C-alpha cells in the first residue's frame, strides 16, 4: 500500500497541481492537509473520476483535511477527540483495508505562532489531545498511522538554518518535548527509521528564494504503531515535486506498507 501525506495549500487554488501529481504518482491513499474548502464545495468529481473514494473534514478558507483512497474507507471519524468546542478542521481518520486493515489518521497540527500567546496555548493543548488519541491507538494493538503536517521541527538537523527557528513555535522546547512524548509512547517516526542526517526537508517558504537555496524544514511526519511499523518497507520525501506553475510550499512524504 502506497500512502502519501501532502499539505496542498488550497485545493481550489492548486487543483491542477494536485491532479497532475495524482496522475503521475498514483498513490493508493493520499492524506491531504490545508484543503481550505468546506465539505459541500470541495471539488469531488475530478478525484472520484480517478477512482478515489473521498472523505473530507473542511472549513471555509482555512485548515481542512481529506483522505483519498483507492480502497473503501470504513469507520470514518472527524475531529480530534477531547474538546467538543474546537471548530477547527484539523483531524480525520478512517480504516483502509488492502491486504489487511490499517487505521489512517490525517492531521494538520496548529502552527502556534506567535508564541507565547493564545495560538501557542492552543497548539500545546491540541498536542495533549493528540497524545491521548495516540495512546488509544496503541492500546488497540492494530496497524495505525498518524500522518500529516505536524508543524513541528523535531530537532535542529530538520532545518537548514536551525538558528532562524529557535524562537518559532515549530521548534520551541515545549513543542519538541510534546512531540517526543508522543513518539516515546511506542511510535516509529517513519522517515527517521529509514533515513538519517540533515538536508531532508518537506517545506520551503515561498519568500526569499527558500526553495532555490534549499532553505527548508522537515515538518511533515508519519508516526506508526508497532503493528504498522512491522509492515513498513519504505518512507521517502518526494522533494523533486516542488516546482511548476502553482506549487505548494510542501511536498509529499511517502510511506510504503506491506498491507
Amino acid at each position: 500500500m502506497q500512502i502519501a501525506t501532502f499539505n496542498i495549500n488550497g485545493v481550489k487554488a492548486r487543483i491542477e497541481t494536485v491532479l497532475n501529481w495524482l496522475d503521475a504518482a498514483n498513490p493508493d491513499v493520499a492524506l491531504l492537509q490545508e484543503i481550505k474548502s468546506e465539505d459541500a464545495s470541495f471539488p469531488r468529481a475530478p478525484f472520484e473520476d480517478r477512482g478515489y473514494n473521498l472523505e473530507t473534514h473542511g472549513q471555509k478558507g482555512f485548515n481542512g483535511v481529506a483522505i483519498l483512497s483507492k480502497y473503501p474507507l470504513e469507520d470514518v471519524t472527524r475531529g480530534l477527540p477531547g474538546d467538543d468546542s474546537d471548530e477547527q478542521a484539523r483531524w480525520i481518520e478512517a480504516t483502509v483495508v488492502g491486504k489487511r486493515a490499517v487505521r489512517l489518521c490525517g492531521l494538520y497540527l496548529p502552527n502556534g505562532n506567535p508564541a507565547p500567546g493564545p495560538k501557542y496555548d492552543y497548539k500545546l493543548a491540541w498536542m495533549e489531545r493528540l497524545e491521548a488519541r495516540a495512546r488509544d491507538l496503541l492500546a488497540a494493538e492494530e496497524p495505525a498511522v498518524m500522518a500529516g503536517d505536524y508543524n513541528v521541527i523535531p530537532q535542529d538537523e530538520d532545518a537548514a538554518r536551525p538558528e532562524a527557528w529557535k524562537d518559532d513555535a515549530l521548534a520551541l522546547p515545549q513543542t519538541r518535548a510534546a512531540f517526543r512524548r508522543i513518539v516515546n509512547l511506542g511510535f516509529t517516526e517513519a522517515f527517521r527509521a529509514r533515513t538519517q542526517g540533515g538536508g531532508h526537508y518537506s517545506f520551503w517558504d515561498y519568500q526569499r528564494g527558500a526553495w532555490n537555496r534549499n532553505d527548508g524544514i522537515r515538518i511533515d511526519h508519519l508516526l506508526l504503531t508497532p503493528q504498522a511499523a512491522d509492515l513498513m518497507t519504505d518512507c521517502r520525501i518526494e522533494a523533486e515535486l516542488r516546482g511548476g506553475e502553482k506549487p505548494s510550499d510542501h511536498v509529499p512524504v511517502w510511506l510504503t506498507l506491506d498491507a
Side-chain angles (χ1 to χ4, degrees):
M1 185 183 296
Q2 297 283 334
I3 302 165
T5 177
F6 190 10
N7 181 320
I8 61 174
N9 196 18
V11 67
K12 294 172 184 175
R14 293 178 175 80
I15 189 164
E16 293 304 321
T17 298
V18 176
L19 294 177
N20 289 340
W21 169 68
L22 289 174
D23 289 342
N26 195 34
D28 297 314
V29 181
L31 304 170
L32 307 181
Q33 302 90 48
E34 278 201 277
I35 61 173
K36 298 182 181 179
S37 170
E38 293 177 301
D39 295 341
S41 60
F42 189 96
R44 303 181 62 93
F47 299 95
E48 293 174 340
D49 289 347
R50 285 164 168 79
Y52 285 101
N53 298 292
L54 170 65
E55 295 288 346
T56 62
H57 179 40
Q59 65 184 94
K60 186 175 181 179
F62 298 94
N63 305 324
V65 287
I67 302 179
L68 310 176
S69 175
K70 294 288 184 69
Y71 303 101
L73 293 168
E74 303 176 358
D75 191 19
V76 180
T77 61
R78 295 167 174 82
L80 183 64
D83 183 357
D84 292 339
S85 68
D86 186 3
E87 297 180 350
Q88 297 193 29
R90 296 182 175 274
W91 179 272
I92 189 169
E93 59 179 277
T95 297
V96 177
V97 182
K99 289 192 293 185
R100 62 175 303 173
V102 179
R103 189 69 175 167
L104 295 178
C105 309
L107 65 94
Y108 176 47
L109 202 147
N111 177 284
N113 284 301
K119 290 185 177 181
Y120 191 58
D121 294 341
Y122 174 66
K123 181 188 186 92
L124 293 180
W126 206 93
M127 295 184 79
E128 288 184 7
R129 291 159 55 199
L130 177 60
E131 180 179 345
R133 181 63 187 131
R135 290 180 183 275
D136 289 343
L137 290 169
L138 286 171
E141 296 186 346
E142 296 174 351
V145 178
M146 300 192 304
D149 178 359
Y150 278 73
N151 271 314
V152 174
I153 304 170
Q155 48 197 3
D156 282 355
E157 70 178 1
D158 295 310
R161 294 183 301 120
E163 68 280 359
W165 297 90
K166 63 183 180 66
D167 296 321
D168 193 281
L170 278 64
L172 286 174
Q174 301 99 308
T175 302
R176 289 178 168 180
F179 183 77
R180 285 196 301 272
R181 281 196 299 272
I182 295 169
V183 175
N184 290 344
L185 294 174
F187 284 85
T188 294
E189 208 258 88
F191 182 78
R192 283 301 180 204
R194 305 289 299 183
T195 304
Q196 300 298 313
H200 306 285
Y201 311 125
S202 62
F203 170 91
W204 297 260
D205 195 287
Y206 286 126
Q207 308 300 318
R208 299 180 296 277
W211 167 249
N212 292 329
R213 296 185 289 108
N214 198 28
D215 184 11
I217 54 177
R218 191 178 70 90
I219 57 175
D220 300 87
H221 311 302
L222 301 102
L223 302 187
L224 281 57
T225 62
Q227 294 78 14
D230 287 344
L231 302 175
M232 179 175 63
T233 60
D234 195 19
C235 183
R236 63 182 178 85
I237 297 174
E238 191 182 353
E240 62 272 15
L241 180 71
R242 182 64 184 266
E245 185 175 347
K246 281 191 173 182
S248 174
D249 43 7
H250 294 249
V251 294
V253 183
W254 285 81
L255 173 69
T256 305
L257 297 180
D258 184 16

